[in-house]
Amino acid sequence: EDQVTQSPEALRLQEGESSSLNCSYTVSGLRGLFWYRQDPGKGPEFLFTLYSAGEEKEKERLKATLTKKESFLHITAPKPEDSATYLCAVQLTGGGNKLTFGTGTQLKVEL
Amino acid sequence: SAVISQKPSRDICQRGTSLTIQCQVDSQVTMMFWYRQQPGQSLTLIATANQGSEATYESGFVIDKFPISRPNLTFSTLTVSNMSPEDSSIYLCSARLSPGGYEQYFGPGTRLTVT
């Protein structure tokens, strides 16, 4: 069965304390892996798409990487405004347009 | 990216009634989707809204319960029919903006509470 697992469920960081969020997947065939940010009461905001192992994407303090079994979202020197739930999702080859989401990592960055 | 809006943003409804949620995109899009996000859980795809034809539903979701319309390339509606408290959830529409990119962009969601 296709599965997407995110860890940790929750993460508390001090401002400036870099860390990584993990998204591991067990799927029959990966077309793409997506990272989203979701603030309370809002819809998910698209961050990155990764298509193949070894690919990396960066945006401000965030960097996403992909291997054959997992993806990491690295957060460098986070600020309180980076606090949010980070979701990863996969789209399967032959799976139509469906995105299968993980349950997310709730990130809290404190001063 | 496109701007995606939803109406209503929230509603409280009585069991047995129906609610129609509207989704409007500010540009023509190739594909539109409806997701559900139950309390404390992640997003689950309900259906793909097909322009000019019947929606494609995921396993566990049926047209009688969640009828969907998509009359043009910028607008779609989702109806939650004969509601029960188990339907309390956030309903989100999303859109895929271009044929070449697979990422989906989401609206702000509709928070539904059924009493």
Side-chain angles (χ1 to χ4, degrees):
Chain A
E1 184 185 336
D2 299 317
Q3 274 197 320
V4 180
T5 305
Q6 290 189 247
S7 61
E9 289 185 12
L11 181 61
R12 194 167 248 176
L13 299 173
Q14 296 296 311
E15 184 176 15
E17 180 187 0
S18 301
S19 188
S20 296
L21 314 182
N22 178 264
C23 172
S24 64
Y25 58 92
T26 308
V27 299
S28 48
L30 182 73
R31 175 183 284 163
L33 185 142
F34 308 85
W35 281 99
Y36 288 85
R37 168 190 171 130
Q38 187 172 28
D39 292 293
K42 296 190 176 181
E45 174 191 346
F46 170 72
L47 294 173
F48 303 111
T49 307
L50 300 166
Y51 289 110
S52 54
E55 191 175 358
E56 298 183 352
K57 294 271 180 76
E58 273 188 84
K59 179 181 176 181
E60 296 180 357
R61 294 178 292 282
L62 300 177
K63 179 179 173 180
T65 62
L66 181 65
T67 73
K68 287 188 178 179
K69 292 186 177 180
E70 59 192 347
S71 176
F72 291 94
L73 185 66
H74 307 278
I75 303 177
T76 303
K79 298 182 178 182
E81 53 262 42
D82 295 321
S83 298
T85 296
Y86 290 85
L87 300 168
C88 83
V90 298
Q91 189 174 48
L92 310 180
T93 56
N97 297 286
K98 176 181 178 179
L99 292 183
T100 300
F101 281 83
T103 52
T105 294
Q106 196 169 358
L107 174 66
K108 173 86 171 172
V109 182
E110 299 171 329
L111 288 169
Chain B
S1 63
V3 175
I4 303 175
S5 59
Q6 288 184 232
K7 280 195 233 182
S9 58
R10 58 177 62 225
D11 207 339
I12 301 172
C13 302
Q14 292 195 343
R15 70 168 67 214
T17 63
S18 298
L19 175 72
T20 295
I21 302 167
Q22 298 179 5
C23 178
Q24 178 75 54
V25 189
D26 69 348
S27 59
Q28 293 187 348
V29 296
T30 57
M31 310 196 75
M32 295 181 75
F33 308 89
W34 288 98
Y35 286 81
R36 180 173 73 183
Q37 187 172 27
Q38 294 182 300
Q41 298 189 28
S42 196
L43 285 77
T44 301
L45 180 64
I46 297 172
T48 301
N50 299 310
Q51 195 257 328
S53 65
E54 194 170 284
T56 304
Y57 290 84
E58 295 298 310
S59 175
F61 298 97
V62 295
I63 187 171
D64 290 345
K65 177 67 177 177
F66 298 102
I68 287 170
S69 79
R70 188 177 173 195
N72 56 50
L73 292 175
T74 65
F75 185 78
S76 177
T77 67
L78 168 75
T79 298
V80 186
S81 303
N82 188 24
M83 288 184 284
S84 67
E86 294 70 39
D87 295 319
S88 297
S89 189
I90 298 172
Y91 293 87
L92 296 134
C93 75
S94 72
R96 201 173 120 188
L97 303 188
S98 63
Y102 293 105
E103 61 270 10
Q104 296 176 20
Y105 294 86
F106 285 82
T110 295
R111 183 179 292 271
L112 171 62
T113 302
V114 184
T115 61

